[in-house]
Amino acid sequence: MYAQMVKSEASQEDPEKLAAFQARIDAGEKIEPKDWMPQGYRKTLIRQIGQHAHSEIVGTLPEGNWVTRAPTLERKAILLAKVQDEAGHGLYLYCAAETLGVSRDEMTEMLLDGRMKYSSIFNYPSLNWADIGAIGWLVDGAAIMNQVPLQRTSYGPYSRAMIRICKEESFHQRQGYDAIRACAEGTPAQKKMAQDALNRFWYPSLMMFGPPDGDSVHSEQSMAWKIKINTNDELRQKFVDQTVPQAEFLGLTVPDENLKWNEERGHYDFSQPDWSEFFDVIKGNGPCNVDRLADRNKAWDDGAWVREGMLAHARKKAAAKVAAE
């Protein structure tokens, strides 16, 4: 359906402009906000960057739940800094999306009424402290795997935003790995907690790369436009290859009976997630979907007075400037 919509829009646009645009993409040029671009390219970027921005903001919720319960003052300070970083990433990305002609308020409203999504991983609960380590290690690890190639994406503002985001995400991954390492090397109860966190977050982390390539409705066109650089399955395999040795070093067991090193392929063979669960969560039926959107709606409503005050101040400054002229 999505591919048909893009083709339909493309058929209504100037073929010469489309060809010239694709030639720029193929040559590795960056597309900037004032450049001509196909409507399908613009819509795809708004969808992807908007979803990315929403994920950064919603992603603070399962971690923010543990700020007051972090086991030490040092862990509390680290987690606070991380939550602040993630909120900042959302702001960078909203700014990048705004260069495409959509406002931050519009994107937020689309999130709140279900027209825009966020990463399915954030619809799973953080039940214990080891989950915070698993989120940093696995979730941020998967995010980095997704995001490092986006530094080379074809849209300039998105590409540049990703440079700083990836630098900070690398620290988040290290923080998470250090937190879960402390649990894995602790008491038997703490190690059991770390294993439990890995058991629950492993497959949802694999889902973060999106559905298998054959079922992905966006990938083919996004790859042609170099909005995406790698396929979902390529990134998922790379994540597994990188993460399994880390789990072994920790003395933890990846919850996959079919996991094994394939000497011929030079990669691990592994089980696919339950994709019916993935699509069910995307439809709003995950463990925390209702809670996450309720929290975002509450934040939006509670912040109305701030937005109204800032708009009133902006109007006052504009009126004063006009009067002075």
Side-chain angles (χ1 to χ4, degrees), residues 7-191:
K7 289 179 181 178
S8 176
E9 290 177 337
S11 68
Q12 301 172 26
E13 293 178 310
D14 186 333
E16 291 187 4
K17 286 185 176 181
L18 287 171
F21 178 83
Q22 189 61 52
R24 291 187 63 195
I25 295 291
D26 294 341
E29 294 183 28
K30 295 295 184 191
I31 306 302
E32 300 298 339
K34 293 184 179 180
D35 295 342
W36 184 88
M37 65 187 73
Q39 283 304 305
Y41 180 83
R42 186 184 302 275
K43 288 181 179 180
T44 297
L45 280 167
I46 289 173
R47 176 191 60 78
Q48 181 170 324
I49 301 174
Q51 177 174 309
H52 192 168
H54 296 325
S55 298
E56 297 284 356
I57 300 299
V58 176
T60 66
L61 297 175
E63 293 181 308
N65 184 44
W66 280 89
V67 168
T68 59
R69 292 181 285 167
T72 68
L73 183 60
E74 180 183 26
R75 295 289 184 191
K76 186 190 296 287
I78 291 170
L79 188 55
L80 275 169
K82 184 188 176 186
V83 168
Q84 179 177 314
D85 282 350
E86 302 290 15
H89 297 172
L91 296 180
Y92 303 153
L93 292 163
Y94 284 134
C95 288
E98 284 179 321
T99 65
L100 293 159
V102 61
S103 73
R104 195 173 311 179
D105 285 0
E106 288 176 302
M107 286 184 284
T108 301
E109 289 167 1
M110 285 191 280
L111 168 68
L112 299 181
D113 66 19
R115 285 176 291 155
M116 267 191 172
K117 304 295 184 182
Y118 54 88
S119 179
S120 62
I121 190 70
F122 299 120
N123 288 311
Y124 292 86
S126 52
L127 302 178
N128 58 51
W129 174 252
D131 285 9
I132 300 305
I135 289 171
W137 172 36
L138 300 175
V139 176
D140 289 324
I144 292 169
M145 203 68 69
N146 267 319
Q147 294 171 11
V148 165
L150 291 176
Q151 295 175 102
R152 296 180 283 118
T153 193
S154 61
Y155 189 57
Y158 193 20
S159 170
R160 291 187 288 272
M162 292 314 305
I163 293 172
R164 178 166 181 175
I165 289 174
C166 286
K167 288 179 180 178
E168 293 179 350
E169 288 289 1
S170 68
F171 281 101
H172 300 169
Q173 195 271 347
R174 294 176 193 176
Q175 168 267 329
Y177 190 74
D178 182 66
I180 205 160
R181 177 199 56 75
C183 291
E185 295 177 356
T187 66
Q190 290 170 331
K191 184 170 183 178

Side-chain angles (χ1 to χ4, degrees), residues 302-315:
D302 289 349
W305 68 275
V306 178
R307 297 191 300 276
E308 291 166 3
M310 293 179 68
L311 287 171
H313 180 65
R315 287 193 292 267

